[in-house]
Amino acid sequence: MSERSVLVTGACGEIGQALVQSLTKRGFHIVTADLAPLPETIKSLPVEHIQGDLVNRIKILYDYDFDIIFHLAASLSSKAEVATEEAHRINVEGTMQLLLLAAYKSEKLKKSVKFLFPSSIAVYGFPDRAAKHAAGNVKAGEWNTPHTMYGCNKLYCEKLGVYYSCFCGQRHLDPNPPTMLDFRAIRFPGLVSAFTVPSGGTSDYGPEMLHAAAAGKPYACFVDADTRISFMAMPDAIKSLLMLMDAPRECLSSQVYNIAAFSLTAGEFRQRALSAFPGAQITFKPNPRRQGIVDSWPEDVDDALARKDWDWKPDYDEDQFFNNYFLPEIKKRYQKASTRTIE
Ligand code: SER
């Protein structure tokens, strides 16, 4: 493949680290951007890193001609609820700045910049558990009534992405319309990686519980045992981003897609953790604010459109996730850690 230029913002986050590892295998020229320096996992890879606040450093990014932008930088749902204005600045202003850059470059170079945007199940919002349970698998257009700052930010940024790629002002009436950016978004469920631990999100109880059990540490889950949302293995999340990136434009009947893998309750997560790590100390100590957030999110989502348009299918259902991905990897990870401690 000829070298293409890719920007990954939020590269030091969980999705970012895994995505950068995959992208380097494709021979892209990669520029990463993040507030933090690159972590060990991706530090030695051939990437150019720009460290700092995206909104303040946006001018630097105009020096590059990116073919593809993965805009992963965000303040996640729990963190965003305690620092709402800051979250709005990061999530909305940051996205707006990058969309403007992509729109400008698309028009100037007459080549659509692909803009891949991770959205979230947080864009949905149910008034209570009964409504959530009654809704079952939600379609992309249903219950777009988010309760959180993060959910509002993600939903609005989806709309901005569609606006700048299709209906920017009166451009659609122009007989010689300029080249538009190519915006594509995926609404992710809770993601679980065997290699990294999340922070700042509200689906974090799933991965936190499993990592704690594997590390032999007690864990008090911040939602109750009956809480159900959909989850996905990190490799599937990366696969979905790459599949959507590669999908021919003409196959896409939407710019925003749900994807799903498996849905389970916090109690079922605990059972899985106990089977793999007998004696794991997992209790439930719901935090009302965080419980309220997860109760507003769907039990599962309908991803039929992604399956139809770009052949989406996860590699890991619930059993495969635990047996073929998470448990083998996490056991290696904590075995190594305990060996190092003993040495
Ligand atoms: N995992 C995210 C969060 O918990 C939701 O997309 O904030």
Side-chain angles (χ1 to χ4, degrees), residues 76-77 120 150 188 201-204 297:
L76 293 183
S77 56
S120 164
Y150 175 73
F188 283 115
T202 321
S203 59
D204 295 5
W297 293 351

Side-chain angles (χ1 to χ4, degrees), residues 9-10 35 52-56 71-76 79-80 83-98 117 149-150 153-154 157:
T9 73
L35 275 175
D53 184 306
L54 181 66
V55 178
N56 294 337
H71 178 38
L72 312 178
S75 172
L76 293 183
K79 191 169 173 208
T84 47
E85 289 80 10
E86 184 197 54
H88 187 275
R89 195 182 76 81
I90 295 167
N91 295 345
V92 177
E93 283 180 45
T95 305
M96 179 75 176
Q97 292 290 345
L98 269 187
F117 183 69
M149 174 55 81
Y150 175 73
N153 295 164
K154 286 289 182 186
C157 287

Side-chain angles (χ1 to χ4, degrees), residues 260-283:
F262 55 90
S263 165
L264 77 177
T265 64
E268 287 163 346
F269 255 108
R270 180 174 178 273
Q271 278 313 320
R272 290 280 189 171
L274 286 176
S275 313
F277 306 100
Q281 295 170 56
I282 301 165
T283 50

Side-chain angles (χ1 to χ4, degrees), residues 161-183:
V162 173
Y163 174 81
Y164 279 111
S165 52
C166 305
F167 304 110
C168 195
Q170 296 295 307
R171 289 182 192 193
H172 59 297
L173 301 176
D174 192 330
N176 297 307
T179 309
M180 301 291 190
L181 69 95
D182 181 353
F183 180 82

Side-chain angles (χ1 to χ4, degrees), residues 5-13 15-24 28-39 41-54 57 60-61 64 66 68-73 98:
S5 182
V6 182
L7 170 66
V8 181
T9 73
C12 301
I15 305 179
Q17 293 180 48
L19 179 67
V20 168
Q21 287 168 346
S22 290
L23 288 173
T24 49
F28 291 137
H29 173 252
I30 300 169
V31 176
T32 54
D34 203 292
L35 275 175
L38 290 179
T41 47
I42 53 175
K43 209 172 162 178
S44 58
L45 297 176
V47 303
E48 189 184 334
H49 188 54
I50 298 172
Q51 190 181 337
D53 184 306
L54 181 66
R57 309 209 67 188
I60 296 176
L61 297 176
Y64 298 82
F66 298 114
I68 305 165
I69 295 174
F70 288 91
H71 178 38
L72 312 178
L98 269 187

